[in-house]
Amino acid sequence: AAIANFKSRAYRLDDSVAGAGDPRNAFVHLRVRLFAGRPPETKARLAEGIHAILQEAYALSMQTQAMEFVVEFSDIDKASYFKVK
């Protein structure tokens, strides 16, 4: 896939609660949307790679906070996806 087809958004949540509300609890929730049709094994391999990247990226935060990493895949129905350039 061409890199130009990839898009990303980041949202910081200032008002969020992880677990029982301990301020040392933190989370990263990454939602990945893909065109439908990829087998579960492919998504599992992607999730493993993404988790490794997140753990490396948040290594400093993990020293002082209990970090939880969530990777969520959603399938996009190609017939209902429209893009205008």
Side-chain angles (χ1 to χ4, degrees), residues 8 10 13-14 18 46 67 70 73:
S8 62
L13 301 175
D14 291 322
L46 280 171
M67 297 290 299
V70 177
F73 289 98

Side-chain angles (χ1 to χ4, degrees), residues 46-58 62 69 71:
L46 280 171
E48 289 171 8
I50 290 168
H51 274 123
I53 291 167
L54 290 174
Q55 287 177 336
E56 183 178 328
Y58 287 92
M62 291 172 62
F69 301 106
V71 179

Side-chain angles (χ1 to χ4, degrees), residues 11-84:
Y11 301 98
R12 178 182 164 151
L13 301 175
D14 291 322
D15 298 319
S16 62
V17 176
D22 185 328
R24 293 170 297 181
N25 291 341
F27 66 93
V28 174
H29 183 131
L30 180 64
R31 184 177 303 142
V32 180
R33 299 188 63 204
L34 304 165
F35 283 124
R38 289 182 176 77
E41 299 81 20
T42 299
K43 292 178 184 178
R45 283 196 317 274
L46 280 171
E48 289 171 8
I50 290 168
H51 274 123
I53 291 167
L54 290 174
Q55 287 177 336
E56 183 178 328
Y58 287 92
L60 279 176
S61 296
M62 291 172 62
Q63 293 176 12
T64 59
Q65 294 181 289
M67 297 290 299
E68 180 177 273
F69 301 106
V70 177
V71 179
E72 173 189 353
F73 289 98
S74 300
D75 287 336
I76 300 170
D77 176 18
K78 210 169 195 175
S80 66
Y81 181 83
F82 301 95
K83 178 171 67 172
V84 178

